[in-house]
Amino acid sequence: MGRPRHPDILTPREWEVLALLRERLTNEDIASRLGITLDGAKYHVSQILSKLGVSTREEAAAWRPPEKQRWWMAWPVWARIIGAATIAAAVAGLAVLALGVLRTRGDEEVPSLRDNALYGRIVYLAPADHSQWIAPPEQLAEAGIVTTATPDQFRQAVTSDTAAIIIDRGWALQLDRGWVRSQYEQGVVIVGIGINMSEMPSVLGLSPVGISGDFGSYPESRRFYSLISKQPCGGGASQDYLDLHPQSQFNLLIHRMANDATLPNRGGEMLKAESQC
């Protein structure tokens, strides 16, 4: 019967490919970034164009999810009453079903965040306001992200085993730029929340030398990140929104950090999590 249709308009993998289309990557680049075949990349792009109802890669990159329409408002009053009662009766059953799905994690499209290669090796200097975090606390814990509340705690939490650090814009200017630069030089992936790629030199002291791509400016009113890494393959960079599709975007951020990290692991071997250079 094959794999069941994913409930979202795109599968998690297709959301990843769409994010790379927004970086104007070619099919070859997408295949290399995700560690898949060229035919696989072409297939995903074709599926995205079909599902979004667009005809070009540029239209797909510019696409944004439509606001949910209140289709039920078109029903007659009596139908709304019956429908509301039916929905209320179904909620309890659906909740039990959802709990079972979460426990079994049977959807092979959404692997556990605990399975990511950088579990326990990502340190986040988070804002005091939890509503401004990149994900809810339980998701951060599931992904093994260490959260810190001050620059001092942050620096103490970053060790030789750290593979990636996440810095909120509100804290950025309180950090020693030389220290941040040294982390970058050692191969640590640097993620700036609310920091445009063009601001990396002035805010974090990171000049994206040798990084290709046309990175535009993201508005401060939106939640977004910029990612930069020195290794592997001579450097990499990504930018994307965090509020466009929160769960998928958070998963994509974890994937990108793992894809760009190259550090000695606990066994002394080199960690090249998912990179295909």
Side-chain angles (χ1 to χ4, degrees):
M1 296 177 61
R3 180 177 297 177
R5 182 178 179 84
H6 198 270
D8 197 356
I9 187 172
L10 299 177
T11 66
R13 174 63 86 184
E14 288 165 354
W15 279 110
E16 293 181 45
V17 173
L18 179 59
L20 297 179
L21 287 177
R22 292 189 175 122
E23 294 182 27
R24 302 183 182 181
L25 266 63
T26 65
N27 289 338
E28 290 79 4
D29 292 335
I30 291 173
S32 176
R33 182 76 68 88
L34 298 181
I36 60 178
T37 65
L38 177 57
D39 286 341
K42 291 179 179 178
Y43 172 77
H44 287 309
V45 171
S46 176
Q47 286 290 96
I48 291 170
L49 297 183
S50 175
K51 290 181 179 181
L52 300 186
V54 298
S55 57
T56 68
R57 302 163 70 93
E58 291 73 20
E59 290 176 349
W63 178 89
R64 294 294 182 270
E67 294 184 3
K68 295 180 179 179
Q69 297 181 352
R70 298 182 177 180
W71 48 268
W72 51 269
M73 289 301 292
W75 291 5
V77 174
W78 62 268
R80 290 186 219 165
I81 294 174
I82 294 175
T86 302
I87 292 171
V91 165
L94 288 174
V96 173
L97 177 61
L99 180 60
V101 171
L102 287 174
R103 285 178 175 172
T104 59
R105 296 192 178 276
D107 185 357
E108 52 188 284
E109 288 277 9
V110 187
S112 170
L113 287 172
R114 293 184 180 276
D115 295 334
N116 84 80
L118 301 189
Y119 186 89
R121 307 177 70 179
I122 303 171
V123 184
Y124 176 28
L125 181 51
D129 183 356
H130 286 197
S131 69
Q132 296 300 308
W133 283 18
I134 60 174
E138 57 271 17
Q139 286 185 20
L140 296 176
E142 185 183 4
I145 296 179
V146 179
T147 57
T148 58
T150 68
D152 287 341
Q153 292 178 6
F154 180 64
R155 290 197 58 167
Q156 291 174 8
V158 175
T159 68
S160 59
D161 198 43
T162 299
I165 58 178
I166 306 173
I167 304 169
D168 187 85
R169 184 186 185 93
W171 289 116
L173 295 179
Q174 298 188 41
L175 291 171
D176 180 349
R177 298 200 315 167
W179 177 83
V180 177
R181 178 77 188 189
S182 71
Q183 298 301 313
Y184 168 77
E185 293 292 343
Q186 294 170 41
V188 175
V189 178
I190 313 294
V191 178
I193 304 301
I195 303 173
N196 278 293
M197 190 65 68
S198 61
E199 298 176 310
M200 284 293 197
S202 60
V203 177
L204 292 177
L206 301 174
S207 181
V209 176
I211 293 174
S212 61
D214 181 13
F215 296 99
S217 295
Y218 284 17
E220 293 184 7
S221 59
R222 298 287 300 275
R223 296 289 294 160
F224 69 91
Y225 66 85
S226 297
L227 179 153
I228 184 171
S229 65
K230 183 177 181 181
Q231 298 174 337
C233 310
S238 304
Q239 276 193 175
D240 215 331
Y241 287 112
L242 284 164
D243 58 0
L244 178 63
H245 191 272
Q247 180 65 59
S248 292
Q249 294 300 97
F250 178 66
N251 291 346
L252 176 59
L253 174 57
I254 297 294
H255 171 83
R256 282 176 167 169
M257 286 189 286
N259 195 55
D260 284 4
T262 300
L263 289 172
N265 64 17
R266 296 180 180 88
E269 300 173 352
M270 291 304 291
L271 168 67
K272 188 175 282 187
E274 298 179 20
S275 175
Q276 299 291 328
C277 298

